[in-house]
Amino acid sequence: MGTSTPNIDGKRYLIITAHHDYRTPRRTSIHFIADELAKRGTVRFFSIRYSHLSGRKGDIRTVIDDRANKIEEHNGVECFLWKTPIHPFNMRRQELKVFEDFLFWMYERLPNRIMVDWIKQADVVIYESGIAPIYFELAKKLNPTAKHIYRGSDDLDTICVAGYAKRKFAKVSPRMDALCLLSKRMAANIASKKNVYCVPNGLDENLDALGDPNPYGDGVHAVSIGSMLFDPFYFEVVGAEFPDVTFHVIGSGHPRTPRYAKNVVVYGDMSYADCIRHIKHAHFGIAPYVSEDVPDYLADSSMKMLQYDFFALPTVCPHSVTGDYKSRFGYVLGDAESMKAATREAISARRERSRQILNWTEVTTRLLDPASFDDTAI
């Protein structure tokens, strides 16, 4: 990961997403991309599929609910959270598919006037994976000269996108300027082939500097970050098996279980900088995903495993997400002996980085013009 300077181009960028708002405390890759775009030109962040129903679904945008339906500038980015009385969603019942499609049809054909204005003024429109591409045809009609880019953060089947949105994406994807996926493993489920590229996640250029000072004392330390599909059983097994290792479980969303040994230390959510310090100085990392249905592309797209890899940490994880990374040691879900064996290998493994890692400037440059880079080819 090198040092690079963004190209200040004065362009107007519009990001449309159904999952995030730029103002939320929890930040994902699309936030970092927005940060980089703001260094180059004007950025607008339009958040859709939000309504009175969202609070029941644990939507992370509920923390800014009182700021919905009004334009607000945040760190140089214009933001709008479009809140409607209801929003379309995957009802997961065959007998309701006609009604589900009707809701999506209406949502597509009654766009918010702010989004319409922002589309007309944009030089580049970026659609995050999900239902955002249902507005591509409208955007193309309103602004035929704009560049249209799809940011594929997730496979649509994996995140249970409704059939209407999947059919719409299959229809419009060949007409987009670029489909930029986080992992090459996602390409098999994309109908279009000629405009598909791999643009992975990135990391901050100053990540190494954030990693000090060392938060640990003497001894061997392992770290687990995050709550996604968290498996407490792994720590019930390895805590007792490896009493000389301290296992630091950060932001798992799970309390201690009675079966955790004393060397399993549970923390709540930590600041980004504190998490990085715990990763940098750990002896190995852990990604304890619990589901058999974890998508294989998570091997490439997982932010925590990317951070582990940046600091060259051996990583323990289920076999389904080891990918082709030599620094990962896989185990069989629910198999205590397999978990112990993988952990034992990680403890004795040497530190090595398994892949090229880009900074966010490099990622954003590739997102805007993927055809200019050899490393984006699929």
Side-chain angles (χ1 to χ4, degrees), residues 151-153 180-188 190 196-201 296-302 325 378:
R151 176 58 169 171
S153 302
C180 298
L181 312 179
L182 282 183
S183 167
K184 294 181 180 181
R185 302 171 207 269
M186 298 169 68
I190 301 292
V196 182
Y197 303 90
C198 178
V199 179
N201 274 324
D296 60 355
Y297 65 80
L298 199 63
D300 306 314
S301 66
S302 165
Y325 299 100
I378 294 181

Side-chain angles (χ1 to χ4, degrees), residues 4-265:
S4 52
T5 303
N7 176 33
I8 300 174
D9 53 29
K11 290 184 177 179
R12 293 160 296 188
Y13 298 97
L14 171 60
I15 296 170
I16 303 175
T17 172
H19 305 289
H20 304 288
D21 188 286
Y22 184 69
R23 296 164 289 181
T24 56
R26 185 181 298 179
R27 289 167 62 82
T28 65
S29 62
I30 202 69
H31 294 80
F32 295 111
I33 289 169
D35 291 343
E36 288 298 324
L37 292 174
K39 298 174 185 177
R40 303 166 189 243
T42 300
V43 181
R44 287 164 164 172
F45 201 106
F46 196 92
S47 190
I48 63 174
R49 203 202 61 176
Y50 184 80
S51 74
H52 297 289
L53 301 175
S54 300
R56 298 183 178 185
K57 296 291 185 180
D59 194 306
I60 62 172
R61 295 170 293 180
T62 55
V63 297
I64 57 165
D65 182 82
D66 61 336
R67 295 146 76 182
N69 291 335
K70 52 190 174 186
I71 298 172
E72 182 177 74
E73 184 173 309
H74 181 74
N75 293 339
V77 173
E78 283 190 272
C79 305
F80 193 93
L81 173 59
W82 180 23
K83 184 178 182 181
T84 52
I86 62 170
H87 67 262
F89 59 96
N90 186 349
M91 297 181 177
R92 307 191 191 199
R93 293 178 63 178
Q94 188 60 40
E95 64 269 25
L96 296 176
K97 286 298 179 185
V98 173
F99 180 58
E100 175 184 298
D101 285 353
F102 174 73
L103 285 179
F104 274 96
W105 183 84
M106 289 292 292
Y107 199 68
E108 177 186 353
R109 279 156 180 78
L110 296 173
N112 179 278
R113 63 176 182 83
I114 300 297
M115 182 173 68
V116 169
D117 289 343
W118 285 4
I119 288 172
K120 290 177 180 178
Q121 297 165 18
D123 296 301
V124 180
V125 182
I126 298 170
Y127 308 81
E128 192 180 28
S129 51
I131 75 164
I134 70 172
Y135 292 111
F136 169 78
E137 290 176 314
L138 171 68
K140 192 70 174 174
K141 180 180 179 180
L142 293 172
N143 190 345
T145 62
K147 191 171 188 177
H148 299 267
I149 298 170
Y150 176 76
R151 176 58 169 171
S153 302
D154 287 289
D155 178 81
L156 299 187
D157 286 332
T158 299
I159 59 175
C160 298
V161 169
Y164 184 96
K166 288 193 290 186
R167 294 191 301 272
K168 180 68 71 170
F169 177 65
K171 176 184 176 183
V172 305
S173 59
R175 298 171 56 201
M176 289 184 164
D177 292 282
L179 310 176
C180 298
L181 312 179
L182 282 183
S183 167
K184 294 181 180 181
R185 302 171 207 269
M186 298 169 68
N189 292 335
I190 301 292
S192 180
K193 302 300 178 187
K194 61 181 177 62
N195 56 344
V196 182
Y197 303 90
C198 178
V199 179
N201 274 324
L203 293 174
D204 292 335
E205 282 187 348
N206 65 341
L207 196 67
D208 189 64
L210 280 178
D212 294 314
N214 186 343
Y216 302 127
D218 295 335
V220 178
H221 298 272
V223 66
S224 169
I225 303 286
S227 60
M228 180 180 175
L229 300 173
F230 179 80
D231 184 7
F233 178 65
Y234 170 84
F235 294 98
E236 293 175 352
V237 170
V238 299
E241 180 69 14
F242 302 98
D244 295 331
V245 176
T246 302
F247 295 91
H248 301 266
V249 181
I250 299 171
S252 71
H254 287 254
R256 288 187 62 88
T257 78
R259 296 182 181 179
Y260 280 5
K262 292 182 179 179
N263 56 324
V264 178
V265 184

